[in-house]
């Protein structure tokens, strides 16, 4: 599915922490410190520490991080479009460049008033996507701010909502399955019109009488390894730079052994999300995939730490 830019970032230095994702020492940053508009500057609204992106029948808007990153955690707090938001998509994602890019997506799909808000996630590895999962959020994301995060290292990628894992993509290179660990990615966010597919498969169109549609952001956080935007270093050098296998011997917090798998508590949270809130999983879509994708077989047996 087509998408337009979205998101945020900051280099916090290489911070050591010993426990879980939330334990990483982070601080929020102002938008201008981390990002820059990528299109439709006249659809940006700044109100103190809040950033609002506006969608009307002329344009949406988007922004991109000033730096690229490999391994760590990226978070934004977001309040989604209120009321009738059918046809709209607010996207928050990370992506590298080129046809063989890697990408992690949150896509918040607009709805008609009274329906649950759904979020679609996707993972691209070496340019191959079509790995959508969709769930209905267990709260109203239009009434208050909630945090949405990507955590990734050489062993797993985790999508988190208010620190609750909603999706895990584990490294199974030993089984011949590519894993997104060799490309630095920018952070993006955008709001745009996608009424050809976003709401009830495109059956409900955008009602422009309700425009402008506003998505509101605050508290941009990135605790990740910053990579040069233009670099003569090889892929191997960049991976080593951002991992504990680097020549300087530093131990980066995202490489702590306990962050290579979910804790028991996190595993239970993920199972709850899948059982109670998931409404679509490509792994179960036999029409699209008559033969189950090989990663689905292995992801059904998620590794967990014995103690939380």
């Amino acid at each position: 599915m087509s998408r337009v830019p979205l998101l945020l970032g900051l280099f916090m230095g290489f911070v050591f922490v010993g426990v879980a994702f939330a334990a990483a020492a982070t601080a929020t940053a102002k938008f201008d410190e981390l990002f820059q508009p990528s299109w439709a500057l006249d659809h940006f609204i700044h109100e103190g520490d809040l950033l609002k992106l506006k969608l009307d029948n002329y344009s949406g808007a988007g922004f991109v991080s000033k730096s690229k990153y490999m391994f760590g955690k990226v978070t934004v707090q977001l309040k989604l479009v209120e009321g009738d938001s059918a046809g709209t998509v607010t996207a928050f994602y990370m992506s590298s460049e080129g046809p063989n890019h890697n990408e992690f997506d949150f896509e918040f799909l607009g709805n008609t008033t009274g329906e649950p808000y759904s979020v679609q996630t996707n993972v691209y590895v070496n340019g191959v996507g079509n790995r959508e999962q969709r769930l209905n959020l267990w709260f109203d994301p239009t009434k208050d701010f909630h945090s949405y995060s990507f955590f990734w290292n050489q062993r797993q990628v985790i999508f988190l909502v208010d620190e609750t894992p909603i999706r895990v993509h584990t490294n199974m290179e030993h089984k011949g399955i590519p894993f997104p660990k060799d490309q630095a990615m920018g952070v993006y966010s955008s709001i745009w019109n996608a009424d050809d597919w976003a709401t009830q498969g495109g059956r409900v169109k955008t009602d422009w009488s309700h425009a402008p549609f506003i998505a509101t952001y605050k508290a941009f956080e990135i605790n990740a390894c910053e990579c040069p935007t233009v670099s003569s270093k090889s892929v191997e050098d960049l991976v080593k730079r951002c991992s504990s296998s680097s020549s300087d011997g530093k131990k980066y917090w995202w490489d702590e052994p306990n962050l290579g798998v979910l804790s028991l508590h996190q595993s239970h949270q993920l199972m709850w999300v899948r059982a109670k809130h998931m409404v679509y999983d490509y792994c179960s879509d036999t029409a699209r995939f008559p033969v189950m994708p090989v990663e689905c077989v292995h992801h059904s047996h998620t590794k967990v730490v014995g103690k939380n």
Side-chain angles (χ1 to χ4, degrees), residues 23-240:
T26 59
T28 61
K30 294 182 178 180
F31 172 81
D32 291 340
E33 295 177 313
L34 308 175
F35 302 98
Q36 58 194 16
S38 52
W39 54 292
L41 182 58
D42 60 344
H43 281 55
F44 283 66
I45 303 169
H46 296 271
E47 295 180 357
D49 291 333
L50 301 182
L51 170 68
K52 297 183 177 182
L53 295 188
K54 178 174 70 172
L55 168 67
D56 55 28
N57 56 351
Y58 296 101
S59 180
F63 59 88
V64 59
S65 61
K66 295 179 179 179
S67 298
K68 294 185 177 181
Y69 306 90
M70 185 184 295
F71 309 142
K73 185 179 180 183
V74 175
T75 300
V76 63
Q77 291 190 28
L78 178 60
K79 184 162 64 172
L80 296 173
V81 177
E82 294 188 71
D84 184 353
S85 57
T88 71
V89 171
T90 304
F92 168 57
Y93 63 101
M94 301 193 70
S95 182
S96 58
E97 298 178 354
N100 297 320
H101 71 292
N102 296 334
E103 183 175 335
F104 313 143
D105 297 332
F106 279 107
E107 292 178 316
F108 302 95
L109 310 182
N111 61 2
T112 57
T113 303
E115 292 182 342
Y117 229 107
S118 61
V119 56
Q120 179 169 281
T121 61
N122 204 349
V123 176
Y124 284 73
V125 184
N126 295 338
V128 178
N130 297 323
R131 298 297 189 260
E132 299 92 348
Q133 293 181 354
R134 189 177 298 183
L135 57 90
N136 291 332
L137 293 167
W138 52 94
F139 52 83
D140 185 344
T142 72
K143 299 303 182 185
D144 205 351
F145 289 92
H146 293 267
S147 67
Y148 304 93
S149 306
F150 301 107
F151 167 82
W152 80 112
N153 58 21
Q154 294 188 76
R155 290 164 285 178
Q156 61 180 351
V157 180
I158 304 178
F159 295 70
L160 300 127
V161 175
D162 290 335
E163 297 304 318
T164 296
I166 66 166
R167 181 171 184 167
V168 177
H169 184 85
T170 55
N171 186 334
M172 293 181 288
E173 290 178 303
H174 64 288
K175 296 183 179 295
I177 302 170
F179 183 79
K181 70 173 189 179
D182 58 356
Q183 299 180 39
M185 294 187 286
V187 183
Y188 301 82
S189 189
S190 62
I191 184 170
W192 49 293
N193 179 43
D195 65 4
D196 58 331
W197 67 269
T199 306
Q200 296 182 26
R203 291 187 294 274
V204 181
K205 302 301 183 181
T206 304
D207 184 346
W208 294 110
S209 69
H210 295 154
F213 303 100
I214 303 292
T216 307
Y217 302 77
K218 69 174 185 178
F220 304 105
E221 299 178 8
I222 291 186
N223 187 359
C225 182
E226 185 178 28
C227 296
T229 303
V230 177
S231 177
S232 59
K233 292 181 178 296
S234 66
V235 169
E236 291 78 11
D237 288 339
L238 288 175
V239 172
K240 287 182 179 180

Side-chain angles (χ1 to χ4, degrees), residues 238-299:
L238 288 175
V239 172
K240 287 182 179 180
R241 170 196 171 111
C242 295
S243 69
S244 296
S245 61
S246 59
S247 58
D248 56 17
K250 289 183 179 178
K251 188 71 172 180
Y252 302 132
W253 71 269
W254 51 82
D255 275 336
E256 286 299 300
N258 63 309
L259 296 181
V261 293
L262 295 182
S263 71
L264 184 60
H265 175 62
Q266 291 165 336
S267 178
H268 289 164
Q269 288 179 312
L270 179 62
M271 289 188 290
W272 172 78
V273 167
R274 293 184 61 87
K276 300 294 186 180
H277 298 282
M278 182 167 287
V279 295
Y280 176 82
D281 183 1
Y282 77 98
C283 288
S284 303
D285 192 337
T286 55
R288 290 177 65 197
F289 301 98
V291 177
M292 180 181 288
V294 63
E295 73 272 11
C296 297
V297 178
H298 301 293
H299 279 153

